[in-house]
Amino acid sequence: TQLLEQSPQFLSIQEGENLTVYCNSSSVFSSLQWYRQEPGEGPVLLVTVVTGGEVKKLKRLTFQFGDARKDSSLHITAAQPGDTGLYLCAGPSGGSYIPTFGRGTSLIVHP
Amino acid sequence: NAGVTQTPKFQVLKTGQSMTLQCAQDMNHEYMSWYRQDPGMGLRLIHYSVGAGITDQGEVPNGYNVSRSTTEDFPLRLLSAAPSQTSVYFCASSYSGGAGNTIYFGEGSWLTVV
């Protein structure tokens, strides 16, 4: 099983602050995905990165895939209360694309 | 669009009882899977299916059974419920494997075993 380790586990910040969360592995992944999960709901896909060194932006969210395709980061600029949620990274495990998930980073943004 | 639909939303079981969590998707997806989510543990794969008639075990399959008789449905059966199976269960589906494939989740089923 290819493990994905996420850090930090918890993050509590004020509105307007910047933050970065990390997803690391000792294994190479062909792709990594980031999901956000709000309380009481299922995870929703934010982005997929497939190329080493790739950077993708989604409004105030910037996603980066490491050059060696073993790690990824999510940077949020000027966080807002609506960004509150659990951020999960996921990557394919085994021959079929049935992803394995990291344990997630729980983010709370206070107004 | 309905997407992935799970029922029931909430369920309380007594130890030893059996039950089935239902999952249906209307997107004609080949891949379906069941995860459980526990505090601090992320999503752990229970069972998955890559097409009708094909199922396989994930990371935590013990105590659960699945079948896939149609493309649309992928029920999860708890054979003899135990308190350790208290969790939130998510069903998910995707069109196929491969990089860039979007996975769609249901809204979750909250199960308590007393």
Side-chain angles (χ1 to χ4, degrees), chain A residues 52-108:
Chain A
E54 181 177 6
V55 177
K56 282 192 173 179
K57 293 190 176 183
L58 186 65
K59 297 183 180 179
R60 295 175 293 100
L61 279 61
T62 302
F63 304 85
Q64 185 164 7
F65 200 13
D67 291 340
R69 292 187 287 127
K70 292 184 178 181
D71 58 88
S72 181
S73 63
L74 159 60
H75 181 79
I76 301 179
T77 303
Q80 299 177 359
D83 296 326
T84 293
L86 180 68
Y87 289 82
L88 295 156
C89 66
S93 178
S96 300
Y97 192 79
I98 303 295
T100 184
F101 283 80
R103 296 189 177 190
T105 293
S106 181
L107 171 65
I108 298 176

Side-chain angles (χ1 to χ4, degrees), chain A residues 1 9-10 30-31 33 35 37 39-45 48-50 86 88 90 95-104, chain B residues 9 31-33 35 37 40-43 45 48-50 59 90 94 96-103 105-108 110:
Chain A
T1 302
Q9 187 176 358
F10 299 102
S30 58
S31 65
Q33 295 182 318
Y35 290 79
Q37 183 179 19
E41 300 183 5
V44 175
L45 179 67
T48 301
V49 286
V50 298
L86 180 68
L88 295 156
S96 300
Y97 192 79
I98 303 295
T100 184
F101 283 80
R103 296 189 177 190
Chain B
K9 182 85 170 177
Y31 284 48
M32 296 187 74
S33 50
Y35 293 87
Q37 186 173 38
M41 297 297 292
L43 289 162
L45 182 65
Y48 65 95
S49 169
V50 299
E59 179 186 357
F90 288 96
S94 57
S96 66
N101 196 39
T102 300
I103 298 162
F105 286 85
E107 294 186 339
W110 273 253

